[in-house]
C-alpha cells in the first residue's frame, strides 16, 4: 500500500509527469476545459474568415439559434449522466408545442393555462420514459426509440399535420420570441429563460444531494444502491425532470419559429446528443458538467453559423459537426484512461 | 416477538465475556432462505449476533457468506425466514432501510462510487446541508464540513496516506478504497457493523489497524460481523465463529473450542460438528 500511495502522491503533486499526462489529468478533473478551448479557437478562426462573425448582431443571432438545442441538451445531459440516452427529446418538445398551440387556438384557452398543460404533458411523457426504464427495466435506448415514434405520431395525428401560425396564438405563447437589445446585442426572453434553466439545473447538479445521486447512479448503479441511494427513484426523477425541461423548450420554440409546426426541428435528438458529447459528458455516465453542454451547444451552432458566414457549403458544415463528435468521444476515451 | 436464543456453548466463552451473552441478541436471522431459479443461495440459516461481540463468518468460496450478510442488511430479500433487530422483526426492503436502523455494511464489492470524491462517498445518501436558509431552502450541501469530518473519520482509522478528501475515489489504490469503505461503516454504524472481507486488499499494517478498529467497535458495545478468509485474523479478532458451508450453517465454534485446523476441516466438510455439541 505504501508504494501505491507514493505513486498516487507523485501523480497529484504533478512531479514526474510529462506535459501530456498533466494535460490528461487536468481534462479529467475539468472535462469542460477542452470544449471551451475548441469554442474559443473556433471563434477566432471564424472571425478571421469573416469579421462579421464577431459583431454584436451576429452574436445575438447565434444565441437565439443556440437557445432551443441548448435547452433540450440540459435534459439530455441529465439522462446521459445516468448512463442513459434520450432519443425522444425532439418528439416530446414538438408534441408539447402542438398541444400548447392547439389548446390556445382551437380550445380558446388563455395562453398561460395552455402553456402549463403543455408543460405537464411533456413532464408526463418524461415520466413515461422513466417508468419504462425503471419498472420494466428496458434499456433507455429502446424505450426512447419507441416513445420517439409514439410521440411523433401523436403530435401529427393531433395536429392533423398542419401548423398553427403565431398570429393565431395569444401573446403569452409567443412572448419568448420577443426581447431587448443591449448595445446592438439582441437577446430574447427565450435566451434568458435558457440561461436561467442552466443556472438552476447546474446549481442542483453541483450543490445538492440529488445532484450527487445522479452522478452516483450513472457511475455505478449497484454501488449507489448498496450505499443507500434510491437508484430507481433518482432515475425516474431524471427522466421526469428532463420531460419538464423539454416542455420549456417547446414554449421557447414557438416564440423562436413564429409558429407551431408538427415537423419542426427534425434533427433535435442528434443535435442535443452532439452538444452533450462535445461538452465533455461521458456517454458511459457519471462524468461531465452541465456548463460543458452549454459550451457544446454553442460550438455546434457556431460551426454552422461561422461556416455559413464564411460561405462554406451546408454539406461541409454537417461534415465538420460529424468530425467534432468523433474527436470529442475520442478525447473522452483518452481522458478516462487516467486511473 | 423475539425468537428464542440459539444454543450457546457457554463453557468456551471466557467468564469475563459471559455477560455479553446474557443479554438478548442485537441481530438475529431465523431460517433464512434465498433461491435464484435452481440455485440455492441460503438453505435455512440461523444466526445470533450479540452486542459487544465479534462474530466471524468463515466458509469456502461460494458457501453463501456474502449472501447471508446481504440478506441481513437489505441488499437481498430472502425468499423465506425472519430477521430481528433488537428483538423486533424487521423487513429491510433496501440497504438504506438497514442503514437507517443502525446497521452499516462494507460489502465485498466495496460499494464506493469511483467518480465521486472521498468525502462524497463517506456521506453518500446521508449528506449534510448548510445551516440556515442556504441549507433548508436551497438545499445546499455543507461540502466543507463534510470534507473536514470525513478527514477526521479516515484519520481515526489510522490511515495517514489519504490526505485530500476531495480526491476522486478512482485515484485511490485498492487498499485505500477499502479503507474508505471501512471508515464509512465505522463512522456511521450505531448498532451493528458488517464487514465482508475488509482486509482482503490491505497491507499488514493497515490490516492491523482495521482489526484494532473492529475490536474498538466491539468494546463500544456494537455487534460486529466479520467475514474473512484470513484464519489468523479470525482467530485473533473473533469471539465466536459461524461456519458457512454449501448455503447452510455447519456450526458455530469459538477460538477457544477449536483451533484453526479444526475450523478449516469443518469448513471444508472434512470434519462434522454435531448438532448437539454446539460451541
Ligand atoms: N444474485 C445472485 N444470483 C444468482 N446466484 C447468486 C447471486 N448471488 C449469489 N449467488 C450464488 O450464491 C452462492 C453463494 O455466493 P456468495 O457470494 O454468498 O459466496 P461467498 O461465500 O461470499 O463466497 P466468496 O468467498 O467467494 O466471497 C454462489 O453459488 C453464487 O453463485
Ligand atoms: Mg463473498
Amino acid at each position: 500500500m505504501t508504494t501505491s500511495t507514493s505513486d498516487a502522491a507523485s501523480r497529484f503533486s504533478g512531479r514526474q509527469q510529462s506535459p501530456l499526462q498533466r494535460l490528461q489529468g487536468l481534462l479529467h478533473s475539468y472535462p469542460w476545459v477542452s470544449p471551451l478551448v475548441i469554442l474559443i479557437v473556433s471563434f477566432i478562426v471564424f472571425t478571421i474568415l469573416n469579421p462579421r462573425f464577431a459583431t454584436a448582431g451576429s452574436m445575438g443571432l447565434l444565441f437565439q439559434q443556440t437557445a432551443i438545442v441548448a435547452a433540450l441538451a440540459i435534459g439530455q445531459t441529465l439522462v446521459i449522466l445516468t448512463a442513459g440516452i434520450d432519443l425522444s427529446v425532439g418528439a416530446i418538445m414538438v408534441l408539447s408545442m402542438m398541444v400548447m398551440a392547439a389548446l390556445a387556438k382551437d380550445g380558446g384557452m388563455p395562453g398561460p393555462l395552455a402553456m402549463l398543460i403543455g408543460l405537464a404533458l411533456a413532464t408526463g411523457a418524461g415520466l413515461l420514459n422513466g417508468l419504462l426504464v425503471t419498472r420494466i427495466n428496458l434499456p433507455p435506448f429502446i424505450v426512447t426509440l419507441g416513445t420517439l415514434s409514439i410521440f411523433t405520431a401523436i403530435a401529427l395525428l393531433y395536429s392533423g399535420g398542419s401548423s398553427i401560425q403565431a398570429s393565431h396564438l395569444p401573446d403569452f405563447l409567443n412572448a419568448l420570441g420577443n426581447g431587448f437589445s443591449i448595445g446592438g446585442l439582441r437577446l430574447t426572453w427565450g435566451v434568458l429563460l435558457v440561461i436561467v434553466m442552466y443556472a438552476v439545473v447546474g446549481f442542483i447538479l453541483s450543490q445538492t444531494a440529488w445532484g450527487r445521486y445522479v452522478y452516483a447512479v450513472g457511475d455505478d448503479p449497484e454501488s449507489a444502491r448498496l450505499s443507500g441511494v434510491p437508484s430507481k427513484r433518482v432515475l425516474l426523477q431524471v427522466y421526469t425532470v428532463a420531460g419538464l425541461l423539454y416542455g420549456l423548450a417547446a414554449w421557447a420554440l414557438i416564440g423562436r419559429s413564429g409558429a407551431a409546426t408538427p415537423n419542426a426541428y427534425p434533427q433535435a435528438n442528434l443535435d442535443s446528443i452532439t452538444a452533450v458529447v462535445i461538452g465533455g459528458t461521458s456517454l458511459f455516465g457519471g462524468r461531465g458538467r452541465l456548463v460543458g453542454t452549454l459550451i457544446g451547444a454553442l460550438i455546434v451552432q457556431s460551426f454552422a453559423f461561422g461556416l455559413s458566414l464564411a460561405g462554406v457549403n451546408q454539406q461541409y458544415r454537417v461534415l465538420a459537426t460529424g468530425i467534432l463528435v468523433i474527436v470529442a468521444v475520442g478525447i473522452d476515451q483518452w481522458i478516462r484512461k487516467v486511473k | 416477538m423475539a425468537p428464542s436464543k440459539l444454543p450457546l456453548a457457554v463453557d468456551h466463552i471466557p467468564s469475563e465475556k459471559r455477560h455479553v451473552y446474557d443479554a438478548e441478541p442485537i441481530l438475529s436471522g431465523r431460517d433464512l432462505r434465498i433461491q435464484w431459479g435452481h440455485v440455492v443461495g441460503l438453505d435455512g440459516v440461523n444466526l445470533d449476533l450479540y452486542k459487544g461481540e465479534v462474530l466471524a463468518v468463515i466458509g469456502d468460496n461460494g458457501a453463501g457468506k456474502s449472501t447471508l450478510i446481504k440478506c441481513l442488511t437489505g441488499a437481498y430479500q430472502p425468499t423465506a425466514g425472519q430477521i430481528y433487530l433488537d428483538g423486533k422483526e424487521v423487513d429491510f426492503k433496501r440497504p438504506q432501510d438497514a442503514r437507517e436502523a443502525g446497521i452499516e455494511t462494507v460489502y465485498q464489492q466495496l460499494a464506493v462510487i469511483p467518480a465521486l470524491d472521498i468525502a462524497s462517498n463517506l456521506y453518500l445518501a446521508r449528506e449534510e446541508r448548510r445551516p440556515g436558509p442556504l441549507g433548508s431552502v436551497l438545499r445546499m450541501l455543507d461540502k466543507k464540513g463534510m470534507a473536514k469530518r470525513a478527514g477526521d473519520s479516515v484519520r481515526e482509522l489510522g490511515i495517514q496516506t489519504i490526505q485530500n478528501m476531495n480526491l476522486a475515489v478512482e485515484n485511490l489504490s485498492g487498499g485505500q478504497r477499502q479503507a474508505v469503505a471501512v471508515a464509512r461503516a465505522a463512522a456511521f454504524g450505531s448498532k451493528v457493523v458488517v464487514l465482508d472481507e475488509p482486509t482482503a486488499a490491505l497491507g499488514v499494517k493497515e490490516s492491523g489497524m482495521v482489526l484494532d478498529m473492529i475490536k474498538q467497535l466491539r468494546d463500544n458495545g456494537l455487534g460486529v460481523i466479520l467475514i474473512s478468509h484470513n484464519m489468523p485474523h479470525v482467530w485473533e479478532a473473533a469471539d465466536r465463529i459461524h461456519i458457512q458451508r454449501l448455503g447452510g450453517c455447519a456450526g458455530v465454534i469459538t477460538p477457544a473450542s477449536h483451533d484453526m485446523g479444526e475450523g478449516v476441516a469443518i469448513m471444508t466438510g472434512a470434519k462434522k460438528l454435531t448438532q448437539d455439541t454446539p460451541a
Side-chain angles (χ1 to χ4, degrees), chain A:
Chain A
M1 181 149 161
T2 35
T3 52
S4 57
T5 307
S6 62
D7 283 346
S10 71
R11 229 190 343 258
F12 283 88
S13 62
R15 274 177 283 120
Q16 298 158 16
Q17 283 186 323
S18 71
L20 198 65
Q21 279 173 320
R22 222 171 305 164
L23 176 69
Q24 198 178 15
L26 177 79
L27 294 181
H28 193 254
S29 323
Y30 305 99
W32 44 268
V33 168
S34 50
L36 187 62
V37 171
I38 295 178
L39 183 66
I40 293 169
V41 170
S42 56
F43 265 53
I44 294 170
V45 170
F46 291 132
T47 308
I48 294 170
L49 289 176
N50 186 341
R52 262 179 51 218
F53 185 83
T55 60
S58 300
M59 284 301 120
L61 208 57
L62 175 66
F63 293 157
Q64 289 175 46
Q65 284 180 355
T66 307
I68 303 299
V69 65
L72 293 177
I74 301 174
Q76 188 71 264
T77 304
L78 290 176
V79 171
I80 290 182
L81 278 176
T82 66
I85 191 110
D86 194 342
L87 301 177
S88 67
V89 277
I92 293 179
M93 173 176 67
V94 168
L95 176 60
S96 164
M97 173 175 73
M98 294 319 295
V99 168
M100 287 178 190
L103 287 179
K105 179 177 171 264
D106 306 329
M109 243 180 224
L113 185 61
M115 194 281 280
L116 283 177
I117 293 178
L119 214 53
L121 182 82
T123 310
L127 176 69
L128 177 68
N129 281 338
L131 285 172
L132 291 170
V133 169
T134 55
R135 297 295 131 100
I136 314 193
N137 288 320
L138 296 173
F141 182 92
I142 301 298
V143 166
T144 57
L145 186 66
T147 53
L148 157 69
S149 301
I150 294 170
F151 297 144
T152 304
I154 295 176
L156 280 169
L157 291 169
Y158 178 76
S159 64
S162 51
S163 307
I164 298 172
Q165 294 307 311
S167 52
H168 296 292
L169 294 175
D171 290 343
F172 185 81
L173 285 185
N174 296 320
L176 295 185
N178 306 330
F180 53 89
S181 288
I182 319 170
L185 179 70
R186 207 187 107 77
L187 294 178
T188 60
W189 298 115
V191 170
L192 274 194
L193 172 72
V194 174
I195 292 171
V196 170
M197 285 161 70
Y198 269 89
V200 170
V201 179
F203 175 87
I204 292 174
L205 271 181
S206 67
Q207 300 298 328
T208 71
W210 189 80
R212 281 201 178 156
Y213 298 167
V214 171
Y215 285 92
V217 167
D219 197 33
D220 187 338
E222 179 60 7
S223 288
R225 187 182 82 90
L226 291 176
S227 300
V229 174
S231 298
K232 295 242 160 163
R233 198 194 314 159
V234 170
L235 215 51
L236 187 66
Q237 287 164 342
V238 160
Y239 283 91
T240 310
V241 169
L244 173 71
L245 297 169
Y246 307 149
L248 288 171
W251 183 25
L253 182 58
I254 299 177
R256 165 85 192 126
S257 51
T261 317
N263 50 9
Y265 203 179
Q267 70 279 33
N269 292 331
L270 292 182
D271 279 2
S272 68
I273 296 169
T274 304
V276 174
V277 169
I278 291 179
T281 294
S282 168
L283 283 172
F284 302 102
R287 205 171 306 271
R289 290 281 174 269
L290 189 62
V291 62
T293 298
L294 182 57
I295 299 170
L298 279 168
I299 291 175
V300 174
Q301 291 303 321
S302 56
F303 261 63
F305 191 57
L307 289 173
S308 85
L309 270 186
V312 175
N313 189 308
Q314 157 79 15
Q315 276 71 31
Y316 288 101
R317 285 181 248 155
V318 178
L319 184 77
T321 313
I323 293 171
L324 257 182
V325 171
I326 290 172
V327 169
V329 176
I331 291 177
D332 177 46
Q333 293 280 22
W334 178 63
I335 293 171
R336 287 173 64 89
K337 288 207 195 95
V338 178
K339 280 271 155 79

Side-chain angles (χ1 to χ4, degrees), chain B residues 65-67 108 196-197 227 229:
Chain B
K65 305 181 295 296
S66 299
T67 305
Q108 194 167 5
D196 194 346
E197 304 198 24
I227 296 180
H229 285 291

Side-chain angles (χ1 to χ4, degrees), chain B residues 36 39-41 59-68 70 76 108 196-197 227 229 244:
Chain B
W36 300 275
V39 181
V40 178
D60 276 335
N61 295 121
K65 305 181 295 296
S66 299
T67 305
L68 173 61
K70 282 184 170 177
Y76 285 166
Q108 194 167 5
D196 194 346
E197 304 198 24
I227 296 180
H229 285 291
Q244 189 68 17

